[in-house]
Amino acid sequence: MGLVAAMRPLLGDSVHRWLAVAPAVALLSVTMIVAACGGGDGDSPAAATVAPESNTTETAPADDPPTRGEDDDADESAQAGDSTSEEDPAPEADRDEEPAAASADDEDTPAPARGPVQVDLEQVAVWGEEGLFDRPNHIDVGPDGNVYVTEFSENRVFKFSPSGEELARWGGPGDGEGQLSAPTGIAVDADGFVYVGESGNSRVQKFTSDGEWLATWGASGSGEGEFISAMGLDISAEGRVYVADWGNSRVQVFTTAGVFLFSFGQAGTAPGEMVAPIGVDLDIDGNVLVVDTGNDRVQKFDPEGQLLAVYPIGLGDPQVISARPSGGFYVSSPQTNRVAEYDGEGVQVAIFPLTINYSFPHGTATGLDGAVYLADTGANLVRKFLPPGVVAAAPPAVDSAPGSVPIPAAELVIDVFPVPTGSRPHDVAPAVDGGVWYTAQGAEALGWLDPTTGETRHIHLGQGRGRTG
């Protein structure tokens, strides 16, 4: 029996609401109900740190991952609103049991105090109100401050300035070079190159910052370099591309040229194992944060895939993660219309209930100034917020050249030099001796200025002599 078919008895109203918003990703929503086996009662469990252990593997496919066949029948009936089943749902005890995550040392270590506060983010901008998007999905911010958005239904990528000006768009449906099928994850590296994960074509494509196609890698399958829906991804400073392989319940690692390096994770609920991971992001220390969606938790790995910590986060359907510049991370929860904030130890410090008529908040990204960008998939909008304590900053200078890096803003220095009364200075030009020539129309003369001392001289035209002013 396929995974989706096996979980069909657990489908409930919340999943149907999710499917009504995003029917194109029905397989994803149904598999996420596996979270019922790992807890998720809406509370905020304490973060649990585990001792590093080796869990790197070359291939680790999930048992019977969802493919076109019997599982689609379950998905189609779920979309039609059929949540009934002849089988009894999983026992209550099984649904409430949390996966073991803590080390032996945790017995003597008190759990961090929990005191998340509910706050409303200050919305400072909304993009797409004119009907620009059809299901904006994931989002990332480049090194130049520009914002990149994948559009799931129309199979496109958008590029915006920090102020919301559209700078470029590319893609279109298909499986050719530069074409896209259900694009989800997106990430921009330090050189400005853009990487897009496709859940439909099960591959990754690389583009310049203006959408010129550069490379493609991946295919449908469970071998090295193959995916069952490539989802969230991120790129390290060393040039490693980390990709969430949703259907194989693992993370695969590549060079920026698409050469397979290694993978880590496999299907399961134990620490280091995963069920349907969706989001991947790197924190300020270069560690890999993975949204283990099916287990309702975030797991932290070092760059080599060794497990560092497990954070049960209690959102029910965590999907996309964005590391905070100051440490910690944000996680979106589409079914509950919330974004939750966690500190560097995985302790929830704030919940942002989205109260502006949101519909399925999905992708999140953090701007260079600390602003939070949110892809509101159901409302077909991109929203920009300022978290508490963050002040809007002027955007950096932008260079839109493909694969470009930021150009520092130049400092403008202005000096003022007095000239003789009545000179009426006009045009200026540099002199070979380091001075400045100017026309003194009021004196009918050619003026010369020493910018170091401020001394001026007038040469009266036609008289061949000078006068110091």
Side-chain angles (χ1 to χ4, degrees):
M1 175 180 287
L3 178 60
V4 175
M7 299 312 300
R8 182 177 178 183
L10 298 180
L11 293 176
D13 291 340
S14 61
V15 174
H16 292 305
R17 289 196 298 271
W18 195 95
L19 293 174
V21 175
V25 286
L27 279 176
L28 177 63
S29 64
V30 175
T31 301
M32 286 194 305
I33 201 66
V34 174
C37 296
D41 57 1
D43 296 331
S44 301
T49 303
V50 299
E53 60 181 75
S54 175
N55 63 342
T56 304
T57 180
E58 294 183 356
T59 57
D63 294 336
D64 195 11
T67 56
R68 189 68 197 172
E70 63 173 359
D71 292 338
D72 293 89
D73 297 334
D75 295 330
E76 290 166 0
S77 65
Q79 286 178 301
D82 179 14
S83 62
T84 62
S85 171
E86 296 179 359
E87 303 178 28
D88 292 330
E92 197 70 32
D94 292 340
R95 295 200 303 271
D96 293 339
E97 182 180 355
E98 287 287 351
S103 67
D105 294 337
D106 290 341
E107 295 180 1
D108 299 327
T109 303
R114 286 279 167 169
V117 295
Q118 291 199 17
V119 296
D120 283 326
L121 299 178
E122 178 189 357
Q123 180 173 281
V124 295
V126 179
W127 307 342
E129 291 180 300
E130 67 282 6
L132 180 65
F133 302 115
D134 189 356
R135 300 186 188 281
N137 200 338
H138 286 225
I139 192 166
D140 198 25
V141 177
D144 53 6
N146 290 327
V147 182
Y148 298 79
V149 183
T150 56
E151 184 189 38
F152 189 88
S153 293
E154 295 297 326
N155 303 291
R156 296 182 292 186
V157 173
F158 288 84
K159 174 185 177 182
F160 299 92
S161 71
S163 61
E165 176 188 1
E166 184 182 339
L167 302 177
R169 70 171 76 175
W170 65 87
D175 57 7
E177 295 178 352
Q179 295 180 319
L180 302 169
S181 177
T184 47
I186 188 165
V188 188
D189 69 16
D191 295 319
F193 294 107
V194 182
Y195 302 76
V196 179
E198 296 179 70
S199 59
N201 286 326
S202 290
R203 65 183 184 181
V204 174
Q205 294 199 70
K206 179 180 179 179
F207 302 88
T208 67
S209 63
D210 287 328
E212 178 185 351
W213 175 86
L214 297 175
T216 300
W217 67 87
S220 181
S222 300
E224 293 182 354
E226 296 178 334
F227 305 96
I228 299 179
S229 293
M231 290 287 186
L233 67 166
D234 202 8
I235 301 96
S236 71
E238 294 74 28
R240 288 180 171 181
V241 183
Y242 295 81
V243 186
D245 185 359
W246 172 79
N248 288 313
S249 292
R250 64 184 177 182
V251 173
Q252 296 199 67
V253 187
F254 303 84
T255 69
T256 54
V259 177
F260 173 82
L261 297 176
F262 61 93
S263 66
F264 56 92
Q266 63 183 18
T269 60
E273 296 179 337
M274 310 171 189
V275 174
I278 293 180
V280 171
D281 205 19
L282 272 63
D283 67 13
I284 58 175
D285 298 318
N287 295 317
V288 186
L289 300 170
V290 180
V291 181
D292 184 3
T293 303
N295 289 320
D296 193 14
R297 65 189 182 187
V298 169
Q299 299 195 71
K300 181 167 73 172
F301 301 84
D302 73 9
E304 305 302 320
Q306 305 304 309
L307 182 65
L308 299 178
V310 178
Y311 307 131
I313 57 177
L315 290 178
D317 66 331
Q319 294 205 12
V320 182
I321 190 167
S322 176
R324 300 187 310 177
S326 58
F329 50 89
Y330 300 100
V331 179
S332 67
S333 173
Q335 289 190 42
T336 59
N337 279 348
R338 295 184 299 175
V339 173
E341 180 182 8
Y342 300 82
D343 65 17
E345 300 300 322
V347 176
Q348 189 180 94
V349 295
I351 299 175
F352 307 126
L354 306 180
T355 57
I356 316 177
N357 194 26
Y358 297 80
S359 179
F360 203 80
H362 200 232
T364 61
T366 306
L368 302 185
D369 60 355
V372 176
Y373 296 89
L374 173 69
D376 191 352
T377 303
N380 292 320
L381 298 172
V382 170
R383 304 181 187 271
K384 181 179 181 180
F385 301 92
L386 292 181
V390 174
V391 179
V398 174
D399 179 6
S400 60
S404 63
V405 296
I407 297 177
E411 181 182 2
L412 180 63
V413 179
I414 301 177
D415 291 324
V416 179
F417 300 98
V419 295
T421 302
S423 295
R424 289 171 53 202
H426 200 258
D427 296 327
V428 297
V432 295
D433 59 1
V436 179
W437 293 111
Y438 66 93
T439 55
Q441 292 181 336
E444 297 183 351
L446 180 64
W448 178 88
L449 166 69
D450 183 345
T452 303
T453 64
E455 176 189 4
T456 61
R457 296 177 182 177
H458 283 176
I459 300 174
H460 291 270
L461 303 179
Q463 297 182 9
R465 57 188 176 88
R467 182 176 69 185
T468 300

